[in-house]
Structure formats: structure tokens, C-alpha cells
Amino acid sequence: MKFLLTQELGRLAKWLRICGFDAEYFTDNKPGAVIVAALKSDRVILTRNHHMPRGRGVAIIQVCAEEVQEQLIEVCRNLHISPAAADVFSRCTVCNEVLQVVDKASIKERVPAYVFETQDRFFACVKCSRIYWQGTHWQSVAQALRRVAAN
Ligand SMILES: [Zn+2]
């Protein structure tokens, strides 16, 4: 399932990507443009905009929760989906690209020394070149996802 999020849901887009979902963040808030983009790439629209027109062959989910983890729970419940542990951190949180496993030796100069010493698996985004690893916030994300799964 792929998503298109409107401009008020930037944090949720990031969290959906952390969970491994394909989540496009769309900053043009004109309803017509949002719908055309969603139809073109076969995405479910997630929005807080109450003026989004209905009935044009596109699924629109109104997100009501204020807090991002609550929003994630709301979307998962609504669509009967849940984040898979294996997919966590499989996408760039900034560009939505699928991350590639990279050779540890090749990124030595690009990560802090202590990270290089303590981590073995590194992933990179082909688009923005950001490097990812199972750092400290991995734990807090795992915790948050357990909370989502429990709901
Ligand atoms: Zn990226």
C-alpha cells in the first residue's frame, strides 16, 4: 500500500517511511493536484484537509489525531495494516527511497568513528547519500512501533 500525504502531515510521512511504507509527501495543497498525483501513482491520500473532494476513484483517509504516533495508530487501524519489523528503516526518511546495504569499509570516512567501531550494518540512500545504521534511536522507534502494534 502506497501513500500520499498532504502538507500538514510531514511528520507522519517520515514515520511511515521509518516503518518501511512508501509515503510520498506532497506539498502542493490544491485538492485537484493532490488527487491527480494520487491517481497517477496509485496512492491512498492521507490528509487533515476537510475540503478534499470525494468520489473520484481515489481513497482518502482523514487523519484526526494530533500527535504523530497517534496518527500512525489511526492510519494502521483504519487500513488494517501494521508495520513489519523487517521493514523498519528500509527507506530513506527524507526522500522515501529504498535503502541499499553498503559495504562497511566504503563509508568509513562518512560516519563518526565510534559508530564505525560499534556498528556492522550500514545502509545508504541512493538519492541523497545519507547513511543509516541501527543507532540509539532505533530502540525508541522499536518501542513506538510496539505501541502501534499493541493498539
Ligand atoms: Zn535519501
Side-chain angles (χ1 to χ4, degrees), residues 91-129:
R91 266 175 202 279
C92 179
T93 61
V94 181
C95 331
N96 195 34
E97 287 291 320
V98 174
L99 298 177
Q100 311 288 332
V101 177
V102 286
D103 178 39
K104 185 174 174 177
S106 72
I107 47 88
K108 188 173 195 270
E109 311 301 320
R110 298 172 53 200
V111 297
Y114 76 92
V115 170
F116 189 81
E117 295 303 322
T118 54
Q119 301 291 326
D120 281 317
R121 278 168 67 79
F122 293 89
F123 308 89
C125 172
V126 288
K127 198 166 169 192
C128 72
S129 305

Side-chain angles (χ1 to χ4, degrees), residues 19-32:
C19 294
F21 292 115
D22 184 337
E24 185 181 334
Y25 179 49
F26 200 73
T27 49
D28 182 344
N29 224 20
K30 286 192 279 302

Side-chain angles (χ1 to χ4, degrees), residues 42-151:
D42 193 25
R43 290 170 187 275
V44 174
I45 297 172
L46 303 181
T47 187
R48 290 176 72 84
N49 180 351
H50 293 282
H51 303 292
M52 207 58 77
R54 303 244 155 208
R56 294 211 205 161
V58 62
I60 302 175
I61 305 286
Q62 286 284 345
V63 177
C64 303
E66 297 286 337
E67 197 263 328
V68 70
Q69 281 185 31
E70 297 296 330
Q71 292 175 342
L72 192 57
I73 291 167
E74 187 184 350
V75 170
C76 288
R77 251 195 214 150
N78 226 311
L79 296 167
H80 308 287
I81 54 170
S82 59
D87 293 337
V88 173
F89 283 113
S90 60
R91 266 175 202 279
C92 179
T93 61
V94 181
C95 331
N96 195 34
E97 287 291 320
V98 174
L99 298 177
Q100 311 288 332
V101 177
V102 286
D103 178 39
K104 185 174 174 177
S106 72
I107 47 88
K108 188 173 195 270
E109 311 301 320
R110 298 172 53 200
V111 297
Y114 76 92
V115 170
F116 189 81
E117 295 303 322
T118 54
Q119 301 291 326
D120 281 317
R121 278 168 67 79
F122 293 89
F123 308 89
C125 172
V126 288
K127 198 166 169 192
C128 72
S129 305
R130 272 181 184 76
I131 307 289
Y132 291 81
W133 58 88
Q134 293 200 351
T136 44
H137 73 292
W138 197 284
Q139 280 305 318
S140 55
V141 167
Q143 214 165 35
L145 294 183
R146 272 196 293 276
R147 199 178 139 223
V148 171
N151 270 272

